[in-house]
Amino acid sequence: MIPIAITGTGSFIPQRVITNDDLSKIVDTSDEWISTRTGIKERHIVAGETTSDMATAAAAQALATAGIKPEEVDLVVVATVTPDRFTPTVSCLVQKKLGLVKATCLDLWAGCSGFIFSLMTAHRLLASGSYQKALVIGAESLTKLTNWADRNTCVLFGDGAGAVAIESGDTNGILNHITGSDGSRGDVLVIEGVAINNPAFQSTEPAHHIIMDGGEVFKFAVNAMNESIRQVLNGTGFGLEEIDYFIPHQANDRIIELVAHKMKLPREKFYTNLHKYGNTSAASIPIALDEMNNKGMLKKGMKLITVGFGGGLTWGANLLQWVV
Ligand SMILES: CC(C)(COP(=O)(O)OP(=O)(O)OC[C@H]1O[C@@H](n2cnc3c(N)ncnc32)[C@H](O)[C@@H]1OP(=O)(O)O)[C@@H](O)C(=O)NCCC(=O)NCCS
């Protein structure tokens, strides 16, 4: 297979902030409850920006840091469950906004695991020689689907976008993937689709809100992350101790703590920024990667595992080596 690596990162966070104290004026909650149960202190929410606006800004940065010109990009994969429209897709909107004239564009729905699935998809397409330079983007405005009267969910989510540029080169920087799905357990995290409304049948328009059994998702998440980390190393020759950083989906600090504890891994190796952004779904991992990159935390040769879980249910991990 052709060696492929991440060569650029980018992110976009909307300016508008909602703190835990702000939320306590909307629902019966408190900073103390949200901080201790989740680790989240504040989240950024869209105030006019669309998912594709955020994706475009993150992608532009990823291209700039990689030194790739828009006309060189031949594949765009956007992970999102909150597109601006059903069509055109977010990836096609990014193409238009950035002038990615020769790119093939597709959106991928895999809940909060979307970035992991998208990186795997883009990587396989590049490694087989079908394409040479790709943008992989996670972009979400989940707060447009949030029920602001439901304290069980409205405290958890935030908006944003993250992106990576990947391309062929001399060193292999994308070493392995593992992904999984279990549709039989999907009812624990639901966002309704559009109701049938045609001459043959009319049903009631459902509320397009996030409906979640938090406790069930919590248990699933700890197990899925633990298993995904172990499985993505299988057959690679790398051991857990050789991983410099784990970049987990940023849903809840307690989930991440428990994964580290159960795997007997140092908590400091798990990067978290959820206190600032909450759960930004498919955007959380690429936002974290970009933040780490900007802080100079990612050094050439480092081994990283991105790991996550989400609605569907879905889960997965990518094993990466930093090459730039
Ligand atoms: C949602 C979550 C934070 C709830 O934490 P928890 O410790 O499991 O809390 P519980 O659901 O047991 O609720 C405990 C109590 O707090 C209450 N509560 C829930 N949300 C609250 C809030 N925002 N403020 C105050 N109290 C709240 C509940 O009503 C419950 O009260 P009760 O005991 O009187 O019924 C946690 O389960 C979680 O993070 N799950 C995973 C969710 C997730 O990651 N989703 C995204 C998947 S990609």
Side-chain angles (χ1 to χ4, degrees):
M1 288 219 287
I2 299 163
I4 308 295
I6 293 175
T7 55
T9 63
S11 62
F12 178 87
I13 308 290
Q15 278 197 337
R16 180 74 187 277
V17 173
I18 291 211
T19 64
N20 291 347
D21 286 334
D22 294 334
L23 282 172
S24 68
K25 293 174 193 128
I26 305 175
V27 287
D28 180 15
T29 190
S30 64
D31 176 45
E32 207 266 330
W33 193 95
I34 303 169
S35 301
T36 53
R37 299 292 180 114
T38 71
I40 299 165
K41 299 295 287 182
E42 58 187 36
R43 68 287 295 140
H44 292 244
I45 66 168
V46 286
E49 304 94 333
T50 62
T51 299
S52 72
D53 291 338
M54 298 192 292
T56 302
Q61 273 178 25
L63 288 184
T65 51
I68 297 173
K69 295 192 189 78
E71 59 272 23
E72 294 176 307
V73 176
D74 47 15
L75 176 70
V76 182
V77 184
V78 174
T80 188
V81 295
T82 47
D84 308 13
R85 301 165 169 174
F86 288 144
T87 191
T89 54
V90 175
S91 50
C92 281
L93 292 169
V94 172
Q95 173 181 41
K96 180 178 163 187
K97 291 176 186 181
L98 286 180
L100 311 173
V101 284
K102 76 169 179 181
T104 292
C105 300
L106 63 116
D107 285 13
L108 191 152
W109 290 61
C112 300
S113 311
F115 179 78
I116 288 166
F117 281 46
S118 297
L119 186 58
M120 175 185 74
T121 304
H123 169 239
R124 298 286 193 225
L125 288 169
L126 265 63
S128 67
S130 300
Y131 302 96
Q132 280 72 46
K133 294 184 195 298
L135 278 165
V136 184
I137 306 167
E140 299 282 16
S141 30
L142 263 188
T143 63
K144 65 186 180 184
L145 300 175
T146 300
N147 178 357
W148 293 97
D150 176 13
R151 69 176 181 173
N152 289 296
T153 52
C154 77
V155 301
L156 300 177
F157 299 100
D159 302 326
V164 297
I166 69 170
E167 57 188 312
S168 49
D170 298 333
T171 316
N172 197 16
I174 306 186
L175 309 180
N176 202 19
H177 311 279
I178 170 260
T179 53
S181 312
D182 181 0
S184 72
R185 289 195 286 163
D187 284 353
V188 296
L189 180 44
V190 172
I191 304 170
E192 290 294 345
V194 178
I196 301 173
N197 184 6
N198 66 22
F201 191 84
Q202 282 91 41
S203 59
T204 323
E205 179 79 5
H208 304 294
H209 284 155
I210 301 162
I211 302 162
M212 187 182 70
D213 180 337
E216 283 304 311
V217 175
F218 193 105
K219 281 184 270 175
F220 152 71
V222 173
N223 195 38
M225 297 235 275
N226 189 325
E227 284 298 313
S228 298
I229 291 172
R230 289 190 196 285
Q231 286 175 20
V232 80
L233 288 169
N234 279 349
T236 64
F238 294 108
L240 265 180
E241 67 291 345
E242 287 169 273
I243 306 305
D244 296 284
Y245 287 113
F246 299 87
I247 300 139
H249 171 46
Q250 307 284 317
N252 184 323
D253 235 358
R254 282 162 54 224
I255 293 175
I256 296 167
E257 292 268 3
L258 260 174
V259 173
H261 177 74
K262 279 178 181 273
M263 301 193 78
K264 300 189 173 43
L265 289 165
R267 174 66 181 82
E268 317 80 73
K269 281 197 171 186
F270 286 74
Y271 186 78
T272 45
N273 59 13
L274 60 87
H275 58 287
K276 293 188 287 186
Y277 309 130
N279 178 348
T280 56
S281 185
S284 86
I285 289 174
I287 290 172
L289 261 178
D290 184 49
E291 206 170 84
M292 294 173 79
N293 199 17
N294 290 337
K295 286 180 181 171
M297 293 172 70
L298 304 177
K299 310 271 187 243
K300 198 170 180 171
M302 275 187 168
K303 310 286 180 302
L304 314 170
I305 289 180
T306 59
V307 58
F309 61 91
L313 297 170
T314 55
W315 61 89
N318 316 108
L319 174 62
L320 309 173
Q321 173 171 239
W322 208 246
V323 306
V324 286

